[in-house]
Amino acid sequence: MKKPSQNRNPIKELVRRYRKKFRIPENLDHYSKQDYEVAEQKYVKMCITRGKC
């Protein structure tokens, strides 16, 4: 039987981890809702393409 962690998609796990890392009070208070979403997407993309943040 597979462990629950083996059923997850590794890319989705990275995206989830980097989004969580981006959600700090400094970012939440600084951006408007629309700008926050764009900034979060850019941050996640940068982290994935570089391999670390």
Side-chain angles (χ1 to χ4, degrees):
M1 183 171 206
K2 290 184 177 182
K3 294 180 182 178
S5 63
Q6 291 176 340
N7 295 332
R8 294 184 176 160
N9 185 341
I11 300 297
K12 286 184 180 181
E13 288 296 315
L14 280 176
V15 170
R16 183 187 61 77
R17 182 182 310 154
Y18 292 139
R19 280 186 176 167
K20 185 176 180 182
K21 204 172 183 184
F22 186 76
R23 292 178 182 158
I24 59 173
E26 182 179 331
N27 291 333
L28 293 171
D29 296 338
H30 178 73
Y31 294 107
S32 68
K33 182 175 172 112
Q34 186 179 18
D35 290 341
Y36 176 84
E37 291 174 5
V38 171
E40 185 182 51
Q41 288 174 353
K42 287 181 179 182
Y43 176 79
V44 169
K45 182 177 179 179
M46 180 192 69
C47 290
I48 290 175
T49 55
R50 289 188 180 181
K52 59 183 175 180
C53 282

